[in-house]
């Protein structure tokens, strides 16, 4: 691809293909399309094609989480956080990053990051930290009398 406008067209086509792959729950293929779309973006893409860049990076981060590719997720999220124009534009990758911490058994860090995000949105829950920790511990205590199989095979209410 030689012309700048062709790069944007190819990036957009990869974005659309990635969305279709996500609709079919093929997150590996979707990630590949988004990553390919990102590779067609030029140097000043955040300034010149902000919406396209944001959507490609955001959806690639979601796929990276689904694929358990935490390294790519971190790199993609860092780009959105560095170049996002508003806090709202960054929320999606912050959520995905918070989920990744929880999925990686780093629950205290996940909770801390979630509390930071909420505080930046004007929702302060830090004073409730002790009661949250107490609730988590109480839940653990209540569940400790059951085996994993008993918990997993419990009927829905």
């Amino acid at each position: 691809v030689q012309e700048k406008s062709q790069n944007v067209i190819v990036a957009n086509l990869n974005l659309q293909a990635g969305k279709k792959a996500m609709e079919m729950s093929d997150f590996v293929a979707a990630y590949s399309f988004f990553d390919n779309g990102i590779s067609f973006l030029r140097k000043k893409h955040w300034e010149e094609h902000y919406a396209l860049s944001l959507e490609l990076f955001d959806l690639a981060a979601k796929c990276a989480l689904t694929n358990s590719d935490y390294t790519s997720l971190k790199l993609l999220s860092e780009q959105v956080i560095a170049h996002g124009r508003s806090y709202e534009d960054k929320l999606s990758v912050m959520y995905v990053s918070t989920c990744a911490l929880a999925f990686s058994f780093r629950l205290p860090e996940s909770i801390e990051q979630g509390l930071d995000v909420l505080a930046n949105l004007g929702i302060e829950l830090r004073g409730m930290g002790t009661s949250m920790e107490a609730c988590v511990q109480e839940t653990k205590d209540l569940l400790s009398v059951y085996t994993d199989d008993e918990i997993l095979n419990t009927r829905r209410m």
Side-chain angles (χ1 to χ4, degrees):
V1 177
Q2 299 282 329
E3 292 183 36
K4 192 176 184 180
S5 63
Q6 289 177 326
N7 280 44
V8 174
I9 291 169
V10 173
N12 261 308
L13 290 171
N14 276 278
L15 174 63
Q16 298 312 314
K19 286 179 177 180
K20 287 288 184 193
M22 284 181 80
E23 288 173 12
M24 295 185 292
S25 299
D26 188 349
F27 296 98
V28 173
Y31 177 82
S32 180
F33 284 119
F34 298 137
D35 188 49
N36 195 42
I38 290 168
S39 74
F40 276 91
L41 296 173
R42 301 271 180 150
K43 280 187 181 180
K44 294 185 178 185
H45 63 91
W46 284 105
E47 295 84 17
E48 296 172 2
H49 303 286
Y50 180 77
L52 174 62
S53 299
L54 182 64
E55 194 168 12
L56 280 168
F57 277 81
D58 183 53
L59 292 174
K62 287 178 183 175
C63 290
L65 173 66
T66 305
N67 299 335
S68 300
D69 183 355
Y70 300 119
T71 303
S72 294
L73 169 61
K74 184 178 186 306
L75 295 171
L76 292 160
S77 298
E78 287 172 351
Q79 286 292 307
V80 174
I81 290 169
H83 298 285
R85 292 181 182 165
S86 69
Y87 196 74
E88 288 76 18
D89 287 348
K90 302 172 188 182
L91 279 176
S92 184
V93 294
M94 288 181 194
Y95 170 74
V96 171
S97 297
T98 302
C99 289
L101 289 170
F103 297 163
S104 302
F105 303 103
R106 295 165 57 190
L107 194 56
E109 290 173 70
S110 176
I111 291 170
E112 191 62 33
Q113 186 169 320
L115 290 172
D116 287 344
V117 169
L118 289 171
N120 284 324
L121 292 171
I123 304 168
E124 188 58 57
L125 297 177
R126 294 239 191 260
M128 302 174 74
T130 324
S131 63
M132 261 195 292
E133 290 169 6
C135 287
V136 169
Q137 188 57 49
E138 182 181 353
T139 303
K140 283 182 178 180
D141 293 342
L142 290 170
L143 292 173
S144 68
V145 297
Y146 299 101
T147 67
D148 290 345
D149 287 334
E150 289 173 322
I151 293 170
L152 291 172
N153 293 317
T154 301
R155 285 189 311 129
R156 277 191 140 163
M157 300 176 105

